[in-house]
Amino acid sequence: MASPTGHVLISPDKFKGSLSASEAAARLAAGLARHRPGVPLVMLPVADGGDGTVEAAVAAGFTRRSARVAGPTGEPVEAGYAVRGDTAVVELAEAAGLHLLPEGRLRPLGASSLGAGQLLLAAARGGARRIVLGLGGSACTDGGAGLVQALGARLLDAGGNRLPPGGAALRRLHALDLRGFNDLGGLEVVVTTDGDDPLLGREGAAAVYGPQKGADREGVKTLEAGLRRWADLAEAAVRRPARDRPGAGAAGGVGFAALAFLGARVEPGIAYLLDLLGFTEKLAGARLVITGEGSLDAQTLRGKAPVGVARAAARAGVPVVAVCGRRALTGEQLRRARISAAYPLTDLEPDVERCISAAGPLLERLTFAIAEEWL
């Protein structure tokens, strides 16, 4: 239960485009330390399974390691992953994230998940027996074909030539050669994601997320056709149906590849990660939890970090407040999500661009109201 003299647990997600989860937590802690210097503070930044997952694991005590892998367009990048004991946390966005596209130019038809497979191999060769693969923030819509190629599979066209990277090329897939494929045998692979999308169709990887990655209407059709061809041959080869399973469409279909080829299981990102990061232990004896993200909106209610944090805290009887850049949820929606109050930066600064550029100082200022009303 909440203690009137306990600590404050600070567990925000990232403020996308402004602050990482760790930076947001540090700003909140700095503000609270000024306004309530006698109150103990515990920081545990969180993630919902997408980009920011490795950073959250490192903040919780995992060790950061890195590997040189192929970025989304083939250029080499230094990608991080996190290790504790025999568990490794691998984040797709570290190798194939939108932020890694050269000059920020979107490549919806040609971007690849190859580097994510290389990261999995690095973690496995480093001694991991369980790999947590966080999906989100990807630049690619290749159904995880690149990941499978990194593990030794050969994707061939009708002439026996290797397919080039990217989702568009999958339309020409004729044969799948798995003789050199490394299925990471013996490893437990857990996919974390905040979505439950299938691979194909109106709710699938191409239709829902393709436009966000730069695909126009014709591009979406091209990607959908490629993913369908890929699913047909992949499922026939591994004899494991996966295209319609929840999470198969995550990260441009990388979820499908992990399910079909690695026998992965899908876990709701935030719930699984809170357990992995030791949230319950940090919560014990707390008087208040502060969570948040850039925008509290309808997407937040679909399994994003603030709601996961609030529900976990509610089970222990600890009140939760949220900070955000902007708020698009009603008071009733917040209450149903177990969030007692929300504090948007726009209360202090109505100009959204200013909120983005000055998110850190504004977050520190927000803590005055939180301290006055809750501490």
Side-chain angles (χ1 to χ4, degrees):
M1 298 294 290
S3 165
T5 58
H7 64 278
V8 175
L9 180 57
I10 303 173
S11 292
D13 196 355
K14 62 189 173 297
F15 279 53
K16 200 161 190 175
S18 300
L19 299 169
S20 69
S22 293
E23 290 168 339
R27 289 288 191 165
L28 290 166
L32 288 173
R34 276 200 307 275
H35 301 306
R36 293 293 185 272
V39 175
L41 306 175
V42 175
M43 290 189 290
L44 186 71
V46 298
D48 56 22
D51 46 330
T53 300
V54 166
E55 181 197 17
V58 171
F62 282 65
T63 299
R64 185 179 179 92
R65 294 184 181 167
S66 63
R68 196 120 174 112
V69 302
T73 58
E75 75 296 341
V77 298
E78 199 71 23
Y81 61 102
V83 176
R84 185 170 67 190
D86 62 359
T87 297
V89 176
V90 173
E91 180 184 320
L92 177 104
E94 283 278 323
L98 282 163
H99 67 287
L100 295 173
L101 290 166
E103 300 176 355
R105 294 176 59 189
L106 299 174
R107 293 281 298 277
L109 304 183
S112 169
S113 59
L114 179 71
Q118 294 171 334
L119 262 186
L120 287 179
L121 276 177
R125 289 168 178 163
R129 302 309 304 158
R130 174 175 59 162
I131 295 179
V132 180
L133 176 59
L135 299 184
S138 75
C140 57
T141 309
D142 71 345
L147 181 148
V148 174
Q149 287 170 307
L151 298 178
R154 297 172 70 235
L155 279 63
L156 307 174
D157 64 17
N161 304 304
R162 290 178 184 264
L163 287 184
L170 294 173
R171 291 175 304 166
R172 306 201 311 272
L173 180 63
H174 179 75
L176 185 57
D177 181 357
L178 297 179
R179 286 174 293 182
F181 178 67
N182 178 359
D183 66 356
L184 307 179
L187 258 73
E188 176 189 6
V189 179
V190 180
V191 166
T192 60
T193 175
D194 63 3
D196 56 4
D197 313 280
L199 180 66
L200 303 171
R202 265 188 263 175
E203 302 298 321
V208 175
Y209 300 109
Q212 298 175 14
K213 300 172 188 181
D216 58 17
R217 183 176 297 181
E218 286 305 310
V220 168
K221 290 180 180 178
T222 295
L223 291 169
E224 180 77 5
L227 291 175
R228 188 172 299 279
R229 179 69 177 161
W230 167 235
D232 289 343
L233 269 70
E235 289 179 342
V238 300
R239 299 181 182 179
R240 184 184 282 142
R243 71 181 75 187
D244 295 325
R245 291 178 59 185
V254 172
F256 167 79
L259 290 164
F261 289 89
L262 302 178
R265 76 174 193 271
V266 174
E267 294 281 355
I270 184 59
Y272 185 84
L273 285 165
L274 287 179
D275 183 55
L276 186 70
L277 301 178
F279 181 82
T280 300
E281 291 79 7
K282 296 286 196 302
L283 183 66
R287 65 195 293 186
L288 179 69
V289 175
I290 304 175
T291 188
E293 64 178 352
S295 179
L296 287 179
D297 53 30
Q299 286 296 313
T300 304
L301 304 178
R302 297 186 58 196
K304 292 288 188 178
V307 171
V309 167
R311 288 173 177 164
R315 288 194 289 271
V318 181
V320 176
V321 300
V323 293
C324 56
R326 58 181 288 274
R327 169 185 164 180
L329 296 177
T330 66
E332 180 59 28
Q333 286 174 312
L334 289 171
R335 283 189 290 275
R336 288 179 183 173
R338 313 307 292 270
I339 296 172
S340 299
Y343 298 83
L345 299 184
T346 51
D347 279 358
L348 301 176
E349 172 54 70
D351 183 85
V352 174
E353 290 302 316
R354 171 73 179 154
C355 283
I356 293 171
S357 63
L362 288 170
L363 264 186
E364 290 192 35
R365 285 176 54 193
L366 268 186
T367 59
F368 176 77
I370 296 173
E372 287 293 298
E373 294 170 26
W374 295 91
L375 303 174

